[in-house]
Amino acid sequence: MIKVVGLGCDKDQITLKGAQIIASSKKVYVRTALTETYSYFTEHNIENIPLDYLYEEADDFDNLDNKIVELLLKEEDVCYCVNGSGFDDRTVLELKKHAN
């Protein structure tokens, strides 16, 4: 199961429910460590895997989204954290297509 957590747009906007989902997940992926929302993970010493390396490997955003989706679909009990609410994240929209 892939659980998506929206980290908000600024530091400290994560919800209690989001924090609980992260804490209960076996593995946590973060779309990027290059925003201030990532401070949640460093301040709380939460093990995670930022996916910034995929940005460097991708030719464009469609390719990036496909790489992230492929990676996440191979996992079990994983949490995928994105900036904002997650509802409009391109990768989350692609994941929804695979869920149906």
Side-chain angles (χ1 to χ4, degrees):
M1 173 189 273
I2 302 169
K3 296 167 267 181
V4 176
V5 172
L7 300 171
C9 295
D10 295 313
K11 182 180 177 184
D12 299 327
Q13 286 189 332
I14 188 169
T15 64
L16 178 58
K17 176 128 179 137
Q20 291 170 339
I21 291 170
I22 291 168
S24 67
S25 297
K26 288 183 182 178
K27 194 180 269 189
V28 177
Y29 287 97
V30 181
R31 183 167 177 105
T32 182
L34 302 177
T35 64
E36 60 180 68
T37 60
Y38 187 75
S39 64
Y40 175 78
F41 299 95
T42 55
E43 290 172 5
H44 294 88
N45 297 316
I46 296 171
E47 284 189 43
N48 67 89
I49 303 165
L51 299 177
D52 294 306
Y53 72 94
L54 291 176
Y55 278 94
E56 297 165 16
E57 296 174 4
D59 298 326
D60 54 34
F61 283 108
D62 288 335
N63 184 248
L64 171 65
D65 295 336
N66 289 332
K67 287 178 181 255
I68 293 173
V69 168
E70 286 176 23
L71 173 73
L72 294 174
L73 289 175
K74 294 177 186 175
E75 297 287 343
E76 293 180 28
D77 190 22
V78 63
C79 179
Y80 177 52
C81 300
V82 299
N83 287 334
S85 67
F87 289 113
D88 59 353
D89 182 86
R90 292 168 42 114
T91 306
V92 174
L93 296 174
E94 284 298 313
L95 286 169
K96 280 184 170 183
K97 291 179 188 176
H98 290 276
N100 297 330

